[in-house]
Amino acid sequence: RGRRSLDDPRLRRAVRDRSLRRLCISAWQSLLFNRWLVERIADGLFARALAGDVMRRLPSGGFFTCEDPQADQPRLERFEISPAGPMFGHEMAPAAGEAAAREARLLQAEGIALADLARRGRGEAEGTRRAARLPVAVELEPLPEGYAASFELPPGSYATVVLRELVKGEEPALPE
């Protein structure tokens, strides 16, 4: 469908409607986080510590910058820490080095800078970071028609992602 023109009344309404604008910003942040994650997986970096990565302590939630990937790697493998991906915004903790360059390329592809996100009022596009990897304990119960899965996830995680990993089948076709 391409990009919408600023003459589009739906786009003008979205700009004026704060809740709709916040929803659009949140969806955009999630899209870029997913692109960041896909790139890390494709580059073999999903379970690797990079110099300059912002790391999240699991489960306490504190952040720090990875300065020594070799020292942090065993902690990452034990799920004590996880690379923390960008939910871009002007108050987001910055990455450094190679990790920062990877994130900058995502924003450049969008034609936007972090400073552009500071133009809105409070409560919009502050930004944060989300853990890329979380330990998930799944219990499966056999049923006559298949299995029942039970697991717990922290806020901001998606059960559909866990279920997709469990099923590992073809994506269901959406009705037309």
Side-chain angles (χ1 to χ4, degrees):
R1 294 186 187 210
R3 294 186 181 234
R4 297 209 184 271
S5 162
L6 290 177
D7 295 331
D8 185 325
R10 291 174 292 185
L11 183 59
R12 285 196 317 268
R13 179 179 159 259
V15 169
R16 287 188 316 269
D17 183 328
R18 186 166 195 255
S19 62
L20 185 55
R21 189 172 58 240
R22 288 178 68 183
L23 177 65
C24 290
I25 291 169
S26 179
W28 175 79
Q29 289 170 318
S30 295
L31 173 74
L32 289 186
F33 174 88
N34 289 341
R35 286 182 183 161
W36 172 86
L37 193 55
V38 164
E39 284 184 11
R40 283 197 66 125
I41 291 168
D43 294 343
L45 300 173
F46 178 63
R48 305 292 315 159
L50 280 179
D53 265 337
V54 175
M55 299 298 239
R56 183 169 184 136
R57 290 180 183 90
L58 303 173
S60 71
F63 295 102
F64 69 95
T65 301
C66 174
E67 295 177 5
D68 183 352
Q70 289 183 339
D72 288 333
Q73 188 61 39
R75 295 179 64 205
L76 191 141
E77 291 167 5
R78 292 189 304 266
F79 281 97
E80 292 175 15
I81 60 173
S82 171
M87 297 291 284
F88 287 108
H90 59 95
E91 294 181 11
M92 180 186 76
E98 180 184 348
R102 295 175 68 85
E103 292 179 10
R105 284 192 299 271
L106 287 170
L107 282 179
Q108 287 170 348
E110 290 291 302
I112 194 164
L114 283 179
D116 296 332
L117 299 173
R119 294 183 183 160
R120 293 290 174 194
R122 299 266 325 140
E124 291 186 10
E126 278 93 354
T128 189
R129 291 201 171 262
R130 300 272 191 258
R133 301 174 67 233
L134 297 169
V136 178
V138 178
E139 293 182 26
L140 293 176
E141 176 187 343
L143 300 173
E145 63 276 0
Y147 291 89
S150 61
F151 50 88
E152 290 185 26
L153 294 173
S157 301
Y158 294 93
T160 53
V161 174
V162 175
L163 292 173
R164 184 177 60 224
E165 290 301 309
L166 289 173
V167 174
K168 285 289 194 184
E170 288 185 25
E171 295 286 326
L174 296 175
E176 293 184 22

